[in-house]
Structures are given as C-alpha cells and as structure tokens.
Amino acid sequence: MRAIEAEGLTKYYGPVLAVDHVTFHVERGEIFGFLGPNGAGKTTTVRMLTGLTRPTEGTARVSGHDVVREPRLAKKSVGLAPEEPNVYAELSVWDNVMFSGEIYGVSGEERRERARELLELFGLYDRRKEKAGKLSKGLRKRLSIVMAMVHDPDILFLDEPTAGLDVPSARLVRGIVRSLGREGKTVFLTTHNMEEANSLCHRVAIINRGRLAAVDSPERLKIVVERSHSVLVSFSERPRWLEGRLRGLRGVEQVVEEGDKFRLYTADPPTVLEGVFDLARSEGLRVISLSTCGPTLEDVFMRLVGGS
Ligand SMILES: Nc1ncnc2c1ncn2[C@@H]1O[C@H](COP(=O)(O)OP(=O)(O)OP(=O)(O)O)[C@@H](O)[C@H]1O
Ligand SMILES: [Mg+2]
C-alpha cells in the first residue's frame, strides 16, 4: 500500500483554480518534496490530503483510506505541521504538546514521554513552561512540528518546515527529517528551497499554477536540463563585440551576463572551454576566472515553469 495517492485532485476557491487535476503518489518511507513558487497550490494540496479542505474534484488516499469518505481513518496515521504554526498562544509550550497528544489520542504516560523526548530534540524543553505566544516565530514553528509528531505518525506533512528559521534551526529540522526517513517514515514536505529539496528528498514534484510540471528524483530532474550545464567566465577586458562572439562559439546555446562574468549555457562544456581559450588567444584577452557548473534544481525549475 502506498502512503499517499492523489488522482485528478482539484480545488476551486470560488472561481480561482488553486489545484488543477494533480495526480501523483508517494511511496511508504519516501521523503517527497513539493516544490513551487508562491501561490502554486502547495498548501491547498496539503490541506486536501490532510482532510482540512474538501477537494472539488478527484480523489486522494492516505494510508489506503479515502480522505473524503474515510476521514478519520485517513487522519489517524498522519501528522501535520501547517505553514502557519497552529500553537495556542495562551497555553504553555508543554500544554500545547499535551493538548495535541490528547487530540491524537495518545495515552497520558506515553504523551508525557513523547513530549519530553521531542521537546529536547527540538531544543524547547528548557522553555516548556513559557507561554507559546511569547516564543519567536521560528520557535513556534519548531513547536508546531513537535505537536505534529507527538503521536509518532507514519506520515508527516510539513508545510514549509524551514521557512523563517535561522540557519541552525533549519539544519536541525532537516536533520530530523533525514532521521525520520531512516526510520522508514513518510515525509511530505513543501518548500521553495531547491537545495533543501535536492538534499532531502527521494523524489520531488514541481508544481506551478496548480499544475504538476514534473515528478521525479532530483538527479533525474537535473538530466531533464542537461543543457543547463554552464561555463562561467570573465576576461581582462570586455570589448563590445565580446558577447556576440561568445554567443557564436561552438556548443554555446545561450549567453547570460552575470556582473563582470558571462554564463555560457551548453550541453558540452569541454568544447566551450576550448572555444573560450581560442577566442582569448586570438584576440589577446586574458581569462581571469573560469568555472563549469552542473545544472541545479533551480535551473530545472526555471526551465519547467519558466515563461509563466
Ligand atoms: N482560502 C482561500 N480562499 C481563496 N483562495 C485561496 C485560499 N487559499 C488559497 N487560495 C488561492 O489558491 C492558490 C494557491 O494557494 P496556496 O496557498 O495553495 O499556494 P502555496 O503554493 O502554498 O503558496 P505559498 O508558497 O505562498 O505558501 C492561490 O491563488 C491562492 O490565492
Ligand atoms: Mg503555502
């Protein structure tokens, strides 16, 4: 049985088509990234999968249970840390976790044990007596992840888990996601951060304007844009004709100015390197800096959703 199966999942808010016939699945034990720009439909998808909002069309199954027809069963194995931390400002950090555990039906003893363990893991145990409303935004975010994990769910939904966190906190959260993966848990996480998706996820879905542009491993998505290899070069001088000549070199598909450098997109970096040196030699220019870059997930993203 797959952890998540979505088929033709669609959501209209009035006339606004937020999610447009999205079909994908997530295997058990997979760390699955949902990557897209603002307003792409990531949160709406998460809300449909976790039973917080009803799909207009299409179906979704979580742990084999239909999210509309069997909402209680579908929710049972799921934890959700929403984009906006859902903590109760007036309750203490500790009581927030207790309350969440109660909702998820965790028994008293186990609840206290889990709470302590998780608050320690997330660096919040020393602050357990403080009111949650007094925590900084980043700490509230961490607390909401603790609350989503208190019942030890098989599937964890994290909506932008590292947005607004400082570098050490983001690293902590990523480390925890990785260890959940090692424990065989399924993690569905949304992010804007290409590098995060690249470094954490087994597979990534790219969504734009409610539609899936691609679903694949980060490595394979990179192959989609093999042509996005590039050579970054700067010269001792930059005569006006230089850009045109670079564009004319064999193997160069596109030239983009980046500050004092030129980025030459190509599927064939070695040929371009030769061309650059030949050009420099024949025109008496010196190459000041030179590097070759593989395609990044950012390139994949821009290529797949670009122009819209
Ligand atoms: N409750 C709502 N009522 C009306 N429109 C909504 C509602 N929630 C979302 N939308 C619209 O649906 C679309 C998708 O929004 P959604 O929040 O799912 O995007 P997102 O990918 O999570 O964006 P972000 O990266 O900004 O969090 C947007 O056009 C948004 O304005
Ligand atoms: Mg969102």
Side-chain angles (χ1 to χ4, degrees):
M1 181 188 47
R2 285 172 164 162
I4 302 169
E5 290 180 288
E7 227 182 289
L9 205 58
T10 299
K11 180 73 184 180
Y12 278 94
Y13 288 111
V16 177
L17 180 53
V19 175
D20 185 2
H21 297 90
V22 156
T23 298
F24 66 92
H25 70 270
V26 179
E27 300 289 351
R28 279 150 62 100
E30 202 166 34
I31 300 179
F32 190 82
F34 218 56
L35 190 66
N38 288 131
K42 302 182 296 295
T43 297
T44 304
T45 303
V46 167
R47 290 175 58 82
M48 287 192 282
L49 293 174
T50 53
L52 291 178
T53 195
R54 217 186 146 93
T56 315
E57 259 179 62
T59 57
R61 298 170 83 78
V62 171
S63 290
H65 300 291
D66 189 287
V67 296
V68 175
R69 285 185 291 125
E70 310 165 279
R72 287 171 64 91
L73 288 170
K75 279 183 199 173
K76 216 172 151 184
S77 55
V78 161
L80 163 66
E83 188 170 13
E84 295 299 331
N86 57 339
V87 305
Y88 297 92
E90 290 307 309
L91 293 182
S92 69
V93 167
W94 180 262
D95 286 343
N96 264 285
V97 185
M98 289 299 109
F99 184 65
S100 180
E102 209 172 308
I103 290 176
Y104 285 124
V106 187
S107 75
E109 186 53 37
E110 194 189 339
R111 194 154 77 213
R112 283 188 289 279
E113 214 168 282
R114 285 283 294 170
R116 189 193 161 110
E117 220 172 82
L118 287 169
L119 287 173
E120 275 175 353
L121 181 63
F122 281 83
L124 285 167
Y125 190 69
D126 291 342
R127 310 190 64 163
R128 66 190 178 282
K129 291 178 183 152
E130 286 177 37
K131 278 195 175 170
K134 295 224 169 96
L135 296 178
S136 70
K137 197 170 147 225
L139 292 181
R140 280 204 304 275
K141 188 97 197 182
R142 284 201 230 167
L143 175 57
S144 74
I145 302 176
V146 169
M147 290 162 67
M149 290 174 65
V150 67
H151 57 308
D152 197 19
D154 286 334
I155 307 175
L156 188 60
F157 288 87
L158 302 174
D159 196 354
E160 312 249 4
T162 60
L165 297 191
D166 59 16
V167 171
S169 304
R171 192 174 296 155
L172 176 80
V173 168
R174 286 184 198 129
I176 291 164
V177 169
R178 279 196 196 93
S179 60
L180 287 168
R182 283 193 294 272
E183 286 172 32
K185 305 282 191 193
T186 307
V187 182
F188 183 102
L189 76 97
T190 75
T191 181
H192 294 114
N193 184 330
M194 316 288 155
E195 256 332 291
E196 178 164 290
N198 190 20
S199 71
L200 283 180
C201 299
H202 299 116
R203 286 190 307 141
V204 178
I206 295 185
I207 185 169
N208 187 44
R209 295 186 170 189
R211 305 183 77 148
L212 282 192
V215 186
D216 217 329
S217 68
E219 285 309 316
R220 280 215 295 273
L221 283 175
K222 286 183 188 175
I223 294 171
V224 172
V225 284
E226 241 346 74
R227 289 192 313 168
S228 299
H229 276 289
S230 62
V231 172
L232 193 62
V233 60
S234 67
F235 297 91
S236 52
E237 292 155 63
R238 44 188 305 165
R240 255 185 294 136
W241 46 261
L242 185 55
E243 188 173 342
R245 292 285 297 276
L246 289 170
R247 194 165 285 129
L249 291 180
R250 199 151 68 89
V252 170
E253 293 179 10
Q254 195 188 351
V255 177
V256 176
E257 275 194 67
E258 292 185 9
D260 64 339
K261 301 178 189 60
F262 292 98
R263 187 177 293 278
L264 315 177
Y265 283 99
T266 179
D268 185 5
T271 297
V272 170
L273 288 177
E274 267 175 48
V276 165
F277 282 116
D278 287 347
L279 175 68
R281 208 173 298 124
S282 66
E283 298 297 340
L285 301 173
R286 266 190 316 125
V287 173
I288 303 283
S289 71
L290 185 70
S291 53
T292 60
C293 315
T296 64
L297 201 47
E298 179 103 38
D299 293 323
V300 178
F301 184 70
M302 291 318 293
R303 181 147 261 161
L304 290 168
V305 305
S308 59

